[in-house]
Amino acid sequence: LDLTENKINQEISVNLDGLSSMKELFLSYNYFSGTIPNKIRSLARLETLHLDHNSLHGTIPDDVLSLVRLRELKLSHNGQERQCFPGFFLCGLDTSEYQGGDVCCNSDNGKTICSDEAGVETEKNDFCLTPALRGTIPVGFGNTPYLEVLDVSNNLLTGNIPPEIGLLSRIEVLNLANNTFTGSIPSVLGALVNAAVLVKGNSMITGQHNNDEIAPLSLCNNVRGFEFFRDPTLCPPERNLLRKFYFEAKGQEWTNSTGWVGEYNSHCEWHGVECNDEEQVISLALGNGGLSGRISGAIGDLRMLQTVDLRDNDLKGSIPSEIGHLLNLTSLILSFNEITGTVPTGIANLSNLELLHLHDNRLQGTVPRLVLKGQTKSSFIADCGSPSDFDSPLDCPDCTMCCNSYQQCDVTTATKRFGVWAGVVMGLVFGFLCLVLLASLLQRKGLYQCFSLKSDAYDAVGKDSVYCFFLSNSITAWVLAIVVLVAQVICFTVYIDGATLVFDSDKDWVYQYVCPRDNLACRMTSDNGGLGWIFFAIFLAVHLLSDVVNGLKLVWNGPRYGLSWKTCQCLFGGICLCSISALALYSSVVYNVAISRSNLELIFNTVILLFVNDLDEKMYSCLETIRPKWMKMTCDNIKTTFSNNSDSGEEIDGEEIKGAILEHRGRIVELEEGIEVYKVNVTTLEDELNTLKESIVLQREEYNKLFEIVQIIYQRSNTFTSHEGEEKTGQAKSFMKQRVGKEETNKNISDPARGINREAETCTEKLNKDHPPKRTKSKRSRNRNYFRSFV
């Protein structure tokens, strides 16, 4: 039944029993007055009911909710404008007699206007009527699940909007505008994602209630048909963006999500969110907050954002490209997460960026070129160090600091290619030795006296080093010396290469910074003090200074042999000594700079490197043990060749002659002093010799006497009787005893006594030979034999 726009001026008939099969009833745009009859429930099959644009008053009866098949219900525009009438009659009574009542009507121009007591007002002698539907929306709209259109706008409905309306899942139009609803808009209306929700013109959204100046977050975020969806006051768009960020970062698992996704509170009150005076987000600080999931691209629409701090969380996924839209961003801190992928190219547009931390993630590729403002060593950090979790670390040409997979970092300005500088150092050493050689050729007096060899070249090159083999003519010796030299060079080169700091390759360099999770500034971990470097310098000076000086001496004295093989040997040996010492010094310095982070490590590494420098001496000791004869022969040949400097054939100029004369004069004085000492010694020896001669003369006289006695005894031996023989024999024994006593007193003159004894023995042998004894058994014969044996 469609009676739209027929200017019908009456109440709606209460006799609706005969219309139970009606599905659609259109009574819009008429002058129907009165209330909505309770008999409306008899239209059990009704699906469409349009009663809008009439003059109905009263309340919406609960009987409407019994129409379970209802799809459209329009009751709008029953609230007419206030109209005033002369005050002589008021509903058939004088205004002075009107005490109020349920309904008051008046007719004007064929249109009946009625209102309940709430719509009647008196002004002096006039009365005014404001017809409209009043009261509250009945509870129980959940019983009309098919409802698609509910329009009660432009009435004087009051109270709260019933939350049950949010259960109308099929509703497409919900028009509650221009009423006098109070309270907050129910957040459950956010479930009406496909509906057009109109609430304009109600007191709870006009700013009259400070606590209700904002619409529910779910309604603002989910219902695009909400008429204030883009209103910056009721539905701040940044609040919707943060809500999206919250759910994509699994905000339900955060350690602190105070205030987040609250339906009615401001997003500026949420934990970690900071706003400016216009309630625009300028800072999002959620470090160490248990964030997981991924970073929402909605963050790119927070255009006034200046700081994003999401460090020390468990965020995954990639960095959204929308971050490149944050042109006001000054700090972007995404460190200590599990972010993968590549760094978006749009980050190069962040011209105001002052701090960018991307380290301790799993990023790959190349970081776009970006120059930060107010740059410090901790301004731009990424995982561009080695070792890396991937085959190659992140390429970051503008990073101020690079970190590796061990969470160790170092400044990019510390990049060192020590191998290149090693070549430069060796070139400088060679150039200096050339200058020394040139000065030697020019034979400057001061330098000559300083570096002139007082010993031979063999002593200078080192007696206990295989480098002395460079002075040998043996091919085997040269090969051994060169092998040791090459081995030392290789060892030092390995150390120098390991000390090189190249962030895209894994070397021995120990990163000296650590960037903690709870601090934006990185700190240095090295505690090398001055004491460690002082000991380092002392060790090197004690160990290398002698080799350097001896090498310079060999180079300086090489030309003294003229154009000969000896000169080449000296020059080569000196260059090798100086070069290997310089290489040991350089490698010790750079390797300690690279890996020593304490005084103990500094000293320990120095000792190891100096052991490599002793390789030539250790090789010499091994050869002495294995081939001692060959070593002795080789060393003797070197000594023979280089010890006699007189055969060198050198040309001596006046300056050298003067120096030699001065030296020889000193030697002469020393020799003269020695001669005086020798003279005194000679005089003493002469006195002792004269004393010895006198003793020998005396001994000879005694010997002659003894010899005469022996002859006499021998001549008379044949005539001696036994008695006489014994007597003579006794005399002879007595004499000999006296002689022996004298000999004991003259033991200090032992050599002449021995000579006398030898002469006596010789004489006795001769006597026996000339006069052999006769074998007889007489007593006289026995005595003679006894005497002979005694003599």
Side-chain angles (χ1 to χ4, degrees):
L1 176 62
D2 187 357
L3 300 177
T4 305
E5 295 186 8
N6 283 290
K7 298 183 180 181
I8 300 173
N9 187 6
Q10 67 175 53
E11 294 184 2
I12 297 175
S13 174
V14 296
N15 189 10
L16 300 175
D17 294 339
L19 303 175
S20 60
S21 299
M22 185 180 292
K23 292 185 176 181
E24 296 179 346
L25 178 58
F26 299 97
L27 301 179
S28 304
Y29 296 95
N30 286 288
Y31 300 140
F32 284 105
S33 60
T35 61
I36 301 173
N38 293 331
K39 291 291 185 178
I40 197 74
R41 65 176 177 271
S42 62
L43 305 178
R45 297 185 180 182
L46 194 63
E47 296 179 0
T48 304
L49 176 59
H50 289 188
L51 301 178
D52 57 293
H53 292 85
N54 283 290
S55 298
L56 299 174
H57 65 275
T59 61
I60 302 174
D62 294 339
D63 301 276
V64 175
L65 302 178
S66 63
L67 304 175
V68 294
R69 296 186 179 184
L70 198 63
R71 293 181 181 274
E72 294 185 9
L73 176 60
K74 290 186 177 182
L75 304 175
S76 64
H77 292 86
N78 280 290
Q80 303 297 321
E81 294 181 359
R82 183 171 179 263
Q83 297 186 31
C84 296
F85 302 96
F88 296 104
F89 295 97
L90 179 60
C91 299
L93 299 173
D94 246 309
T95 57
S96 59
E97 299 177 358
Y98 177 67
Q99 299 298 323
D102 292 336
V103 178
C104 182
C105 299
N106 195 14
S107 297
D108 183 18
N109 298 324
K111 179 180 179 182
T112 300
I113 299 175
C114 299
S115 178
D116 56 11
E117 182 180 359
V120 177
E121 298 175 329
T122 60
E123 294 182 1
K124 296 182 180 180
N125 294 325
D126 297 334
F127 70 93
C128 300
L129 300 178
T130 306
L133 291 174
R134 300 177 185 276
T136 61
I137 298 177
V139 178
F141 271 99
N143 297 327
T144 58
Y146 302 106
L147 194 62
E148 297 175 355
V149 177
L150 175 59
D151 187 357
V152 295
S153 62
N154 293 283
N155 286 291
L156 295 176
L157 298 173
T158 59
N160 295 325
I161 300 173
E164 291 80 1
I165 295 178
L167 302 177
L168 301 175
S169 58
R170 296 189 180 187
I171 198 164
E172 297 177 358
V173 176
L174 175 62
N175 193 347
L176 307 175
N178 298 313
N179 282 283
T180 57
F181 290 118
T182 58
S184 302
I185 303 173
S187 60
V188 294
L189 298 185
L192 308 179
V193 293
N194 298 318
V197 179
L198 308 174
V199 295
K200 188 177 181 180
N202 289 280
S203 61
M204 77 288 190
I205 57 173
T206 58
Q208 296 179 7
H209 303 283
N210 293 331
N211 294 330
D212 300 325
E213 293 179 355
I214 192 167
L217 174 60
S218 57
L219 180 61
C220 294
N221 183 78
N222 300 337
V223 184
R224 293 187 173 273
F226 181 45
E227 62 179 331
F228 295 111
F229 182 78
R230 299 187 182 279
D231 186 279
T233 301
L234 294 175
C235 289
E238 293 186 343
R239 187 174 62 147
N240 296 338
L241 298 173
L242 290 174
R243 179 184 183 275
K244 186 176 181 180
F245 173 86
Y246 174 84
F247 285 106
E248 292 194 27
K250 297 183 179 181
Q252 304 90 331
E253 302 175 0
W254 294 3
T255 57
N256 188 350
S257 59
T258 304
W260 276 81
V261 297
E263 291 290 345
Y264 300 103
N265 62 335
S266 172
H267 60 283
C268 297
E269 300 174 359
W270 296 357
H271 169 71
V273 178
E274 182 181 352
C275 299
N276 56 17
D277 294 337
E278 289 77 25
E279 294 193 350
Q280 295 173 316
V281 180
I282 60 174
S283 176
L284 185 61
L286 297 172
N288 191 23
L291 280 69
S292 56
R294 57 187 298 272
I295 303 175
S296 173
I299 197 173
D301 292 326
L302 302 173
R303 299 305 174 87
M304 299 303 296
L305 202 58
Q306 299 176 8
T307 301
V308 176
D309 185 359
L310 304 178
R311 56 181 161 162
D312 195 15
N313 286 293
D314 194 27
L315 293 169
K316 299 178 177 62
S318 59
I319 300 175
S321 59
E322 290 82 359
I323 282 186
H325 301 158
L326 304 176
L327 301 181
N328 294 312
L329 196 65
T330 58
S331 299
L332 178 59
I333 307 167
L334 304 177
S335 54
F336 298 101
N337 282 285
E338 295 294 329
I339 300 174
T340 58
T342 59
V343 180
T345 56
I347 205 170
N349 300 328
L350 306 180
S351 57
N352 293 317
L353 204 60
E354 298 177 0
L355 191 67
L356 178 59
H357 287 186
L358 303 175
H359 56 288
D360 284 283
N361 284 288
R362 299 179 61 82
L363 295 171
Q364 301 183 68
T366 302
V367 180
R369 300 301 299 265
L370 181 64
V371 179
L372 276 65
K373 290 185 176 181
Q375 186 166 292
T376 64
K377 63 184 179 182
S378 301
S379 296
F380 192 176
I381 310 176
D383 294 325
C384 47
S386 294
S388 172
D389 292 332
F390 304 97
D391 293 337
S392 59
L394 189 68
D395 182 19
C396 186
D398 293 323
C399 279
T400 59
M401 189 172 290
C402 286
C403 298
N404 58 21
S405 58
Y406 301 140
Q407 299 182 3
Q408 299 170 338
C409 306
D410 214 328
V411 291
T412 54
T413 54
T415 301
K416 300 290 188 299
R417 296 185 180 273
F418 291 120
V420 177
W421 286 104
V424 174
V425 170
M426 298 311 297
L428 293 175
V429 171
F430 185 76
F432 177 74
L433 294 177
C434 290
L435 292 177
V436 172
L437 178 61
L438 181 62
S440 175
L441 293 173
L442 297 176
Q443 293 186 350
R444 299 296 182 189
K445 177 180 178 181
L447 290 175
Y448 180 80
Q449 292 179 350
C450 179
F451 290 107
S452 179
L453 278 175
K454 293 184 179 180
S455 59
D456 53 36
Y458 176 67
D459 293 331
V461 77
K463 295 180 179 180
D464 298 329
S465 171
V466 293
Y467 289 149
C468 69
F469 292 166
F470 289 131
L471 305 180
S472 171
N473 294 323
S474 172
I475 296 177
T476 303
W478 269 77
V479 169
L480 290 173
I482 291 175
V483 167
V484 173
L485 177 65
V486 171
Q488 286 182 307
V489 171
I490 292 175
C491 289
F492 288 132
T493 303
V494 170
Y495 277 107
I496 294 172
D497 182 67
T500 301
L501 175 57
V502 182
F503 289 105
D504 56 357
S505 61
D506 189 9
K507 299 291 185 179
D508 294 340
W509 182 282
V510 177
Y511 292 2
Q512 53 188 340
Y513 287 87
V514 61
C515 300
R517 297 171 181 266
D518 58 347
N519 199 330
L520 296 179
C522 300
R523 68 173 186 270
M524 181 178 288
T525 59
S526 176
D527 60 351
N528 284 349
L531 183 62
W533 286 107
I534 290 174
F535 278 106
F536 169 79
I538 293 174
F539 288 163
L540 289 183
V542 171
H543 206 86
L544 299 178
L545 187 60
S546 60
D547 290 344
V548 173
V549 173
N550 287 332
L552 292 175
K553 287 182 177 181
L554 283 172
V555 174
W556 176 263
N557 290 276
R560 70 190 302 175
Y561 297 104
L563 296 177
S564 64
W565 173 243
K566 291 183 180 180
T567 300
C568 296
Q569 288 176 300
C570 287
L571 293 178
F572 189 78
I575 291 173
C576 289
L577 269 179
C578 291
S579 299
I580 205 66
S581 300
L583 193 61
L585 173 63
Y586 180 77
S587 61
S588 299
V589 172
V590 300
Y591 198 73
N592 277 302
V593 169
I595 72 169
S596 296
R597 297 296 174 258
S598 66
N599 292 334
L600 181 61
E601 291 180 354
L602 184 64
I603 297 174
F604 179 76
N605 294 327
T606 303
V607 172
I608 293 177
L609 287 165
L610 292 180
F611 176 79
V612 176
N613 190 65
D614 288 341
L615 187 61
D616 55 321
E617 297 177 2
K618 299 300 180 182
M619 186 65 177
Y620 187 91
S621 300
C622 291
L623 291 175
E624 278 190 329
T625 304
I626 298 172
R627 297 291 302 277
K629 293 183 179 180
W630 180 84
M631 285 290 294
K632 185 176 184 306
M633 180 184 66
T634 304
C635 294
D636 290 343
N637 291 335
I638 296 173
K639 292 177 182 178
T640 303
T641 304
F642 284 90
S643 293
N644 188 4
N645 291 331
S646 62
D647 298 334
S648 60
E650 60 179 341
E651 296 180 1
I652 304 176
D653 62 1
E655 296 293 335
E656 185 174 355
I657 291 174
K658 291 180 180 179
I661 290 173
L662 293 175
E663 182 178 356
H664 288 307
R665 284 180 178 176
R667 292 182 179 179
I668 289 171
V669 172
E670 293 177 357
L671 291 174
E672 288 176 350
E673 293 176 354
I675 290 172
E676 293 297 329
V677 174
Y678 292 149
K679 286 182 179 179
V680 174
N681 294 335
V682 168
T683 302
T684 303
L685 292 174
E686 287 178 350
D687 295 339
E688 292 178 355
L689 181 60
N690 292 330
T691 303
L692 182 60
K693 286 180 178 180
E694 292 176 356
S695 299
I696 292 173
V697 171
L698 294 175
Q699 293 294 330
R700 284 181 178 177
E701 291 176 355
E702 292 178 358
Y703 169 71
N704 292 329
K705 291 179 179 180
L706 178 62
F707 187 72
E708 290 175 358
I709 292 171
V710 171
Q711 286 182 343
I712 293 170
I713 293 171
Y714 180 73
Q715 292 174 0
R716 295 181 180 182
S717 61
N718 294 325
T719 60
F720 282 167
T721 61
S722 59
H723 177 73
E724 292 177 347
E726 291 177 358
E727 183 180 356
K728 294 295 183 180
T729 302
Q731 293 178 356
K733 287 181 179 182
S734 174
F735 177 80
M736 292 304 296
K737 286 180 181 180
Q738 294 176 2
R739 179 69 186 129
V740 171
K742 290 182 180 180
E743 288 179 359
E744 289 178 355
T745 60
N746 295 318
K747 286 182 179 180
N748 58 333
I749 311 175
S750 57
D751 289 341
R754 292 192 190 99
I756 294 171
N757 291 333
R758 284 195 300 269
E759 290 180 3
E761 291 174 357
T762 303
C763 293
T764 303
E765 290 176 358
K766 184 177 180 181
L767 183 63
N768 292 331
K769 184 178 180 181
D770 295 336
H771 305 278
K774 295 180 181 180
R775 297 174 182 248
T776 177
K777 295 182 180 180
S778 64
K779 187 176 181 180
R780 190 174 57 184
S781 299
R782 288 195 302 269
N783 290 337
R784 190 186 311 114
N785 292 336
Y786 173 77
F787 180 74
R788 287 177 180 173
S789 62
F790 175 77
V791 172

